Amino acid sequence: MVEVRNLRYKYPGSKDQVLHGLDFSIPQGEIFGFLGPSGAGKSTAQKILIGILKQYEGKVTVLGREVRETKPDYYEKIGVAFEFPNFYGRFTAMENLSLFRSLYQGTTSKPEELLDRVGLAKYAHTKVDNFSKSMKMRLNLCRALLNQPEILFLDEPTSGLDPVNARLVKEMIIQMKTAGKTVLITTHNMQAAEDICDRIAFIVDGRIVLIDSPRQLKVEHGKRRVRVEYRKNEQIHQEYYELEGLGTNQEFVQLLGRERIETLHTEEATLEDIFIKATGRKLE
Amino acid sequence: MRLTAAIAYDIKLQFRHGFYYAYLVISLFYIALLQFLPSSAREMANILLTFTDPSMLGFFFIGGLVLLEKGQDIHNTLFVTPYKPEEYIFSKTLSLTLLSALSSYMIHVSQFGFTTKPLLLMLGVVMTSIFFTLAGMGVAFRCRSLNGFFFLSTLVALVFVLPLSDYLQIWSTPLYHLLPTQASLLLLRSVFEPIPPLQWIYAILLLAGWSGLAFLWARYSFRKFIMLQMGGDGP
């Protein structure tokens, strides 16, 4: 679905290379996350993939087409939502979606159905100027889905959303995957990436430093042990036990039987730990 | 068709932003002004006002419109659809030209009724509006604020209104014949002082040539100052 080989890029007039040879591929039906701090090059990579920046070096094919050779009809097949949702403020939600819908020639979804899916049906005839950030973010997702895209590019899709709406958006993204669509997310929100991405790539200073599934990364970089917290004499105590032979570890088994256990966790790494370890930098 | 839909939404947007009311007020003001002039001066005044209507108003209104859209970062969402930059440029130009043509015709008819043959006059209005809207768009793509736009556009506009000094018999030079506004004035005046075919062909070709250049410049400015800045985290 997406094939990137040795992608290099520098902005016109600039001496600095922004991307230093990215290599990755995304199969159909995968939710892929690009994670990295601001200025790492993830937005530039996304702008190349969506055909805005075409003066790149290397090979970038999306839906079997080299992106630098695509024409505006490329956008019939892809959906894009940037982090900051922008609309005509004097138009209502419905007018905005109808306007954007009129720009496509292929099959499109009905705006009212999309608005209903994101809980905005009753605001269809409200001017977007009166929308909150959360409402605009959801409207932005509707806009990106209007043309029933094969592949969806989302920049910080849960930014500015309350937990309920963040979950709604994440569920919609997972539904896209279930329908066989491919989704590429750019974010610095580790939790959102972990919740929905099949694979993630850490990008720092224009290079991919790690690429794998969140689960695999967490297991590989974690400690193979379990942490037990229990309460005794009104004090919280914690003990660690190796995962190897845990079931036959008498001390562990006795502790479970003897004490009032409050929490029991394996010590896999968090994505944030892995990121800091791999890059020496923090996500902002 | 995408362009037709885009023009319809642009007209709706201009209506929503009060452009049509603003043009109506300006047109009524012009009509009132013309009423107070002696009939001997009315023809010249009509030409002058008709000239400033599509040229200056189109020039500044397109600046406001583009900067408004830049302020709302609407280009980020418009150009990740199959909408082509050329269609955007045509849609904006034609929708504002329609507004200019309506208001110019209204002013003209209010003074002279339906007794004149305003075909060349309206052609002049339409072509002048197209040229100035394209030129104004090119300037607006490059500006970040309204103040910047007004400064830069005033400089550009100043060059193009110079042929008015010839029309007002203040000063003249043959070089004016190379400027599109000379052609505009020729077409507008033709409603009162008929001109031979060679002259109106010259005027039409000159305005068309300048409009072609203005279009190329607007498209280049769009690519450089809008497309490359899209999506945030720019260069």
Side-chain angles (χ1 to χ4, degrees):
Chain A
M1 189 56 69
V2 176
E3 197 74 41
V4 175
R5 292 285 161 259
N6 197 24
L7 171 60
R8 296 167 175 275
Y9 187 79
K10 62 180 173 187
Y11 281 97
S14 166
K15 286 182 192 160
D16 301 325
Q17 195 91 16
V18 183
L19 300 177
H20 301 269
L22 302 190
D23 282 290
F24 62 94
S25 54
I26 309 173
Q28 187 188 350
E30 183 170 279
I31 304 177
F32 185 88
F34 245 141
L35 277 89
S38 302
K42 57 187 195 302
S43 291
T44 302
Q46 195 196 34
K47 283 197 260 181
I48 290 171
L49 285 166
I50 62 176
I52 292 177
L53 304 176
K54 293 192 168 169
Q55 310 287 318
Y56 59 84
E57 292 173 52
K59 188 181 164 205
V60 180
T61 55
V62 176
L63 296 160
R65 292 153 82 183
E66 181 67 46
V67 174
R68 74 163 72 79
E69 287 156 16
T70 56
K71 301 266 183 293
D73 69 338
Y74 175 53
Y75 297 106
E76 293 280 355
K77 302 273 182 203
I78 70 167
V80 181
F82 288 119
E83 180 181 1
F84 300 103
N86 305 305
F87 292 95
Y88 286 107
R90 297 276 176 102
F91 281 172
T92 65
M94 183 60 93
E95 284 171 331
N96 268 289
L97 290 184
S98 302
L99 182 160
F100 283 101
R101 189 185 191 196
S102 74
L103 303 176
Y104 294 98
Q105 282 171 334
T107 316
T108 49
S109 297
K110 285 184 180 164
E112 46 271 50
E113 284 172 10
L114 290 169
L115 287 170
D116 190 40
R117 280 176 69 188
V118 298
L120 289 176
K122 62 179 172 181
Y123 302 104
H125 302 291
T126 303
K127 280 186 185 166
V128 174
D129 263 347
N130 299 325
F131 270 29
S132 66
K133 169 95 192 279
S134 162
M135 292 162 86
K136 284 184 189 169
M137 286 297 287
R138 285 178 281 152
L139 185 60
N140 207 26
L141 187 62
C142 293
R143 185 194 50 71
L145 293 175
L146 268 174
N147 57 323
Q148 304 176 357
E150 289 300 312
I151 177 161
L152 195 58
F153 295 89
L154 304 174
D155 193 4
E156 302 290 357
T158 54
S159 158
L161 294 180
D162 58 76
V164 174
N165 283 310
R167 176 182 287 188
L168 178 85
V169 166
K170 285 191 264 188
E171 279 168 3
M172 279 182 75
I173 294 170
I174 291 167
Q175 280 168 18
M176 292 283 293
K177 171 192 156 75
T178 313
K181 313 283 185 176
T182 309
V183 186
L184 192 149
I185 292 169
T186 312
T187 184
H188 54 244
N189 183 335
M190 292 282 186
Q191 193 56 50
E194 190 179 333
D195 289 348
I196 54 173
C197 291
D198 297 308
R199 281 190 311 144
I200 53 173
F202 285 135
I203 181 164
V204 180
D205 296 331
R207 292 181 176 84
I208 291 178
V209 290
L210 272 178
I211 184 165
D212 215 327
S213 72
R215 185 187 181 282
Q216 192 59 27
L217 285 171
K218 285 164 62 183
V219 170
E220 253 176 40
H221 292 81
K223 295 188 175 108
R224 289 194 47 75
R225 64 182 192 183
V226 63
R227 188 180 80 238
V228 187
E229 283 186 352
Y230 59 95
R231 192 176 285 273
K232 191 174 182 181
N233 302 330
E234 295 307 311
Q235 298 252 309
I236 294 172
H237 299 265
Q238 55 183 24
E239 301 289 345
Y240 294 89
Y241 298 96
E242 294 300 316
L243 283 180
E244 304 305 329
L246 187 64
T248 52
N249 184 327
Q250 285 308 308
E251 196 186 332
F252 173 71
V253 174
Q254 282 172 10
L255 180 78
L256 293 188
R258 192 180 66 235
E259 304 295 345
R260 186 178 157 218
I261 307 297
E262 292 207 328
T263 69
L264 182 60
H265 289 290
T266 46
E267 289 275 277
E268 66 266 26
T270 65
L271 288 184
E272 189 137 10
D273 294 337
I274 302 164
F275 186 82
I276 294 168
K277 202 166 101 186
T279 66
R281 290 169 66 171
K282 269 195 160 183
L283 279 172
E284 287 144 25
Chain B
M1 214 177 114
R2 191 160 49 226
L3 183 62
T4 322
I7 292 173
Y9 278 107
D10 265 332
I11 291 173
K12 195 170 181 176
L13 184 73
Q14 287 154 20
F15 194 80
R16 215 46 83 76
H17 278 282
F19 280 31
Y20 277 75
Y21 300 115
Y23 260 78
L24 186 69
V25 170
I26 293 168
S27 300
L28 290 176
F29 174 72
Y30 280 1
I31 291 168
L33 195 70
L34 287 168
Q35 292 295 339
F36 284 106
L37 291 175
S39 55
S40 57
R42 219 175 272 175
E43 284 185 7
M44 185 188 240
N46 182 222
I47 298 302
L48 281 176
L49 293 181
T50 310
F51 172 73
T52 58
D53 200 24
S55 55
M56 294 300 107
L57 288 184
F59 197 65
F60 290 110
F61 270 74
I62 188 65
L65 206 58
V66 167
L67 285 166
L68 186 93
E69 292 192 349
K70 269 179 108 171
Q72 292 181 332
D73 269 337
I74 197 80
H75 302 117
N76 272 347
T77 35
L78 275 182
F79 296 102
V80 290
T81 73
Y83 198 26
K84 296 179 185 135
E86 292 81 3
E87 290 170 328
Y88 172 85
I89 293 171
F90 288 144
S91 173
K92 289 273 176 287
T93 307
L94 295 178
S95 55
L96 274 181
T97 296
L98 176 74
L99 194 50
S100 283
L102 284 176
S103 102
S104 298
Y105 190 66
M106 189 171 103
I107 294 169
H108 181 77
V109 168
S110 76
Q111 300 304 307
F112 304 98
F114 297 96
T115 53
T116 59
K117 288 182 181 162
L119 184 69
L120 282 183
L121 172 99
M122 291 315 293
L123 190 67
V125 168
V126 166
M127 293 191 81
T128 307
S129 174
I130 288 174
F131 167 73
F132 273 97
T133 309
L134 287 168
M137 213 180 315
V139 175
F141 288 149
R142 291 162 179 264
C143 296
R144 288 180 181 202
S145 66
L146 263 181
N147 284 346
F149 173 75
F150 281 127
F151 177 72
L152 200 60
S153 58
T154 306
L155 288 181
V156 175
L158 213 58
V159 177
F160 288 111
V161 296
L162 281 177
L164 277 179
S165 71
D166 179 28
Y167 182 61
L168 298 170
Q169 296 176 345
I170 300 168
W171 189 70
S172 183
T173 160
L175 288 175
Y176 282 170
H177 292 286
L178 297 174
L179 289 175
T181 26
Q182 184 76 1
S184 304
L185 287 167
L186 204 60
L187 288 175
L188 301 182
R189 286 166 67 178
S190 71
V191 73
F192 301 118
E193 306 162 32
I195 51 172
L198 212 59
Q199 280 206 32
W200 59 257
I201 290 171
Y202 144 79
I204 289 169
L205 287 180
L206 188 67
L207 268 168
W210 273 98
S211 297
L213 285 177
F215 167 73
L216 293 176
W217 186 63
R219 193 175 63 175
Y220 169 76
S221 307
F222 178 86
R223 286 185 178 152
K224 187 161 182 197
F225 294 92
I226 303 287
M227 287 303 271
L228 280 179
Q229 311 292 327
M230 274 174 62
D233 262 20

